[in-house]
Structures are given as C-alpha cells and as structure tokens.
Amino acid sequence: MPTPGEVPWDIVEHTAAKHDIYQRYLERWFPILLTGKEKWYPSVTYAEGFAGPGIYKTGERGSPVIALQAFIDKVPPTKGASRFLFIDDDPRCVALLREQLAPVIEKTTRTEETMPVEVVEGTCESQLEKQLTVMDAWGKPIFAMLDSWGNAPIPYQLLRRLAGNVSSEVMITFLPQHFVRFVTKLGDSADDVFGGDRRWREVAKLPDGPSKYRHLLDCYRQALSQAGFQYLLGFELVPRTGQSLYLLFGTNHPLGVKKMKDTLWEVDKSFGIGFRDPRDDQDETLFELSEPQVAPLGRLLLPTIIKAGESGCRVNDLVDFTLFETAFRKEHIIPTISMLRDQGKIETDRPGRIVYGTFVRVPQP
Ligand SMILES: C[S@@+](CC[C@H](N)C(=O)[O-])C[C@H]1O[C@@H](n2cnc3c(N)ncnc32)[C@H](O)[C@@H]1O
C-alpha cells in the first residue's frame, strides 16, 4: 500500500538502532559468504521487499543505501559479486531511491556484472519472488530484508522458498500495533499469513493490545519455523517514547545466529533503545544502557528446568536453547542461574560456584 504521508518521512527513534543492526550485520554477511576461508560463494543477492526511498527527511541513509555501501566497503572488487533488488509499491519511493543509489553506484569500480542493481515498482507479494528469478538469484545465497510497517502481506510461499534456498536468511520487521490491525482486518484470510495455522485466531479472545500482539508474534514466529527456518531470533526495539519495532531474523546456520547476536549486543547504546523479548510477559528490556538484564532469560529458562522434573538438568543443557532461541549469549547463562537460585526458584546439586556441569532443578517439596 503506497505510503499515506509525504516521502521522504521523518526518521523515528528506533530507526537509527535498526540501521545500526543492518549495517553491522551486513558488513559481516557479505564477506563471510563471498570471501570466507572455508566455504564461499561466487555470488549472493541482497533483496528488499519494502525498500523505501533510500533517505529520510533529515538526510539519514535508508536501508538500501546502507546495504550497497556495506558490500562496496567490505568486499574487495576482485572478489565475488552481489545482486541488489529493491521493490517498493510507491512510485515516489522508487524515484527517490533511484536518485539516492545513483551516486553510490557511480563512485564504485564495481561493474554491472559484479554489482547489478534493480529497483522495481510493484508490491512485494507480486514482484519479489519473480524478480529474484529474473536476476537468476535462486540457488545462491539470498538475504531478504522484509521491512514493512506490518501492514502488508508477505507471501508464505516466498518464505518457504527462501528457507529452502542455499544459505539464505530473512529479516522481517514490523510495528506490532500495525500488524495486529492488519491481521484483524484480513479476518479468516489471515490464515495464509501464518502458513495455514489457525491458532492466530485465538487473538479475538485476548483482553488487551499487549497480549494480542504477543500472541500474534508468537504465531508468526511459529509460522516462520514451519516455513523451514531452523533458527529464529525475535526481539523488539523499544524507544524511550513511541511505538516499539519487532524484528524477526531467520536462518539455517548457527554462524548466522552468532553473528546476529554479536551485532545486537554491539549496537550503539547512545541510541537509548532497549531490546525486549516479546515472549516475556513482564515486558522487561534485555538491556537499556550498559548492563544486561538477565531476569527475562530467567523467565525463559524456568519452564525447561521445571520440565526436567525431580532429576533436573545440567546448566549445559540450557545452552542451545539460550543460543538459538533467545537474544542472550552464552555468558549470560550462569549469572541467570545464579539469580534464580538466589531467588529460591531453583536449587543446585552443590552449593557455591555454578559451572556448566552443575545440576539444577526446581525445589522439591
Ligand atoms: C518501513 S518502510 C521501508 C524502510 C526502509 N527499509 C529503510 O529502512 O530505509 C516500508 C516501505 O514499504 C512500502 N510498501 C508498503 N506496502 C508495500 C507492498 N505491499 N509492497 C511493496 N512495498 C510496500 C512503502 O511504500 C514504504 O516505502
């Protein structure tokens, strides 16, 4: 749906943090895939389904310009190629984006063969998969950036195809309130958005906005997993004021998860943006300025510990869940277990220092 207001628009608080994440991640993604020591590919594709105009009202760069520059800066011209595909259904965004990309393309020594760039006017749903075929992108790694406001459909078939494509990853973002409105308006036909899973319909029974969007985000995460993405990282960027932004990253590679997590924990804290796991029903941010808050990880780990019953589980058994299912890193696990023990929520098989071999369980009656 074309942008309702003027183009370009004002930058909002979480956009700078979002762009910092994109830039830091793509500056890793391009070189790993194109110049990696062990395995590398001759070419990759970076595609956006909701590209925007490439610039904000006060001059900040948009994500297409950030992506192009990350490739130019981080991959030597003698190394592999990258295709760039940008789709937007607003003709004003398309025209402005072409203007923004032109000087970046002109300045580089890259050629039409090693850096083809296509800007296409049309909807993500009608154009993205098709144009990836036109550019001969399938069968080689693709990074798909699907950065809408949450009010446009992303074809489930596209997500399945991306999940099954070699070394491909997806970043989906949306404003949760827009997503709730969009899905509610679609009614029963929203089943397609969730890959046919009807569990999202339970949203009608939920009492308030936060529980509605927590449920929908959870269903969407599940749908992406069903589409074939083995590892998913979902988190909200929470500004001091205004709406939060939800980001969901899907990959089939543990290295992708690790690099995305490194990126998250490095994001410039001066943006003042908090990170939150939307599954945490107490809405606590993971970190605000410098200190990570481990309470949300405690709440995420507790059900696994409860499930392990009387015999409990080793701290080591919680590592994979933490690494691949939450935004936390390995070094956050032991402080979290220690906090849970201090709070009396769990007990350990020995007093004192907690190590990966320690057994933990909920206190037995
Ligand atoms: C959040 S903005 C993109 C911002 C951009 N990724 C950035 O970070 O600089 C979303 C864009 O999606 C476009 N859009 C909305 N619905 C669309 C659809 N169905 N297909 C393609 N583009 C769409 C809008 O015109 C808008 O430019």
Side-chain angles (χ1 to χ4, degrees), residues 1-4 7 9 15 18-19 22 46 48-56 60-66 87-94 120-126 145-153 173 175 245:
M1 191 196 302
T3 319
V7 173
W9 50 84
T15 307
K18 174 183 86 172
H19 285 167
Y22 293 175
Y46 174 86
E48 292 213 26
F50 307 89
I55 187 165
Y56 287 79
E60 293 84 355
R61 301 179 304 167
S63 54
V65 180
I66 291 172
I87 313 269
D88 201 288
D89 69 348
D90 187 323
R92 296 169 300 168
C93 291
V94 168
V120 177
E121 183 184 325
T123 61
C124 171
E125 46 285 24
S126 66
M145 181 70 80
L146 303 170
D147 184 17
S148 79
W149 284 296
N151 51 356
T173 76
L175 299 164
L245 178 79

Side-chain angles (χ1 to χ4, degrees), residues 32-240:
I32 287 174
L33 286 164
L34 292 169
T35 68
K37 283 192 192 84
E38 283 163 29
K39 189 172 180 196
W40 52 270
Y41 296 88
S43 72
V44 299
T45 302
Y46 174 86
E48 292 213 26
F50 307 89
I55 187 165
Y56 287 79
K57 211 169 166 184
T58 33
E60 293 84 355
R61 301 179 304 167
S63 54
V65 180
I66 291 172
L68 203 59
Q69 200 63 56
F71 171 67
I72 294 169
D73 291 347
K74 296 293 169 184
V75 181
T78 49
K79 294 278 185 172
S82 181
R83 301 164 204 83
F84 288 86
L85 171 62
F86 301 113
I87 313 269
D88 201 288
D89 69 348
D90 187 323
R92 296 169 300 168
C93 291
V94 168
L96 197 49
L97 179 57
R98 289 195 175 121
E99 264 177 44
Q100 297 306 311
L101 295 174
V104 185
I105 298 170
E106 248 165 53
K107 253 195 242 149
T108 161
T109 53
R110 290 263 173 192
T111 62
E112 195 31 46
E113 281 69 48
T114 64
M115 200 185 80
V117 180
E118 292 295 336
V119 181
V120 177
E121 183 184 325
T123 61
C124 171
E125 46 285 24
S126 66
Q127 293 298 325
L128 193 61
E129 188 176 359
K130 194 162 94 188
Q131 296 297 332
L132 284 169
T133 305
V134 172
M135 289 187 95
D136 192 25
W138 296 108
K140 298 123 198 161
I142 297 173
F143 188 99
M145 181 70 80
L146 303 170
D147 184 17
S148 79
W149 284 296
N151 51 356
I154 297 174
Y156 194 69
Q157 150 65 16
L158 171 69
L159 295 174
R160 282 175 60 104
R161 194 159 176 203
L162 286 166
N165 195 54
V166 61
S167 295
S168 294
E169 299 185 339
V170 66
M171 175 69 97
I172 300 178
T173 76
F174 39 72
L175 299 164
Q177 286 91 331
H178 282 245
F179 188 56
V180 174
R181 234 174 291 138
F182 166 68
V183 167
T184 314
K185 253 199 191 149
L186 274 182
D188 293 353
S189 58
D191 288 357
D192 291 343
V193 173
F194 297 93
D197 187 343
R198 295 157 60 101
R199 207 167 51 91
W200 73 270
R201 296 182 186 205
E202 288 162 25
V203 73
K205 295 186 216 135
L206 296 170
D208 51 38
S211 51
K212 280 181 196 292
Y213 78 69
R214 195 170 291 125
H215 176 69
L216 289 184
L217 298 185
D218 192 41
C219 291
Y220 200 66
R221 190 186 166 102
Q222 190 57 36
L224 222 64
S225 163
Q226 288 299 321
F229 287 104
Q230 206 181 337
Y231 305 112
L232 294 168
L233 212 50
F235 51 94
E236 275 176 84
L237 296 183
V238 191
R240 289 189 203 95

